[in-house]
Amino acid sequence: MRKFAGTMDDSATGVDTVRQWTPRFEGWNLAPMAGVPIVGLMFVGRFNTITDTWRDSAGILTEVLRTDSGKVSKAADNYVAAQRASTIK
């Protein structure tokens, strides 16, 4: 169970890393698109909307994974304590 909790925590770290590195088009990185027609700029708006949605979702997923990994780890501690307290072998 502890290994699974560790995997959940590692997954949270991975999701958070991807969330932070998700690209978003801003004014400074649109310079190469100066010759792109208005339709291309509409695509940029949609891309940024998708990026924002992904970042929000990834933030929620990261929080859930971290919280639940703590719960799973605590459950493992409880099982170990119950095993030690048990007189049944």
Side-chain angles (χ1 to χ4, degrees):
M1 285 181 73
R2 288 176 207 239
K3 194 172 191 178
F4 182 67
T7 300
M8 290 174 69
D9 192 56
D10 291 345
S11 296
T13 301
V15 169
D16 193 48
T17 301
V18 171
R19 180 181 69 89
Q20 291 175 7
W21 284 96
T22 302
R24 188 171 200 293
F25 287 108
E26 302 293 340
W28 63 270
N29 55 8
L30 290 176
M33 301 177 91
V36 175
I38 267 311
V39 174
L41 295 178
M42 289 173 34
F43 169 76
V44 168
R46 287 184 178 197
F47 180 82
N48 284 342
T49 300
I50 292 168
T51 297
D52 294 341
T53 302
W54 161 249
R55 284 184 178 175
D56 292 343
S57 300
I60 292 168
L61 179 59
T62 297
E63 185 177 327
V64 167
L65 284 169
R66 287 201 198 284
T67 300
D68 287 354
S69 71
K71 290 177 183 177
V72 170
S73 183
K74 181 67 175 169
D77 292 342
N78 291 340
Y79 280 118
V80 168
Q83 178 68 28
R84 288 183 183 154
S86 175
T87 57
I88 302 172
K89 292 185 180 186

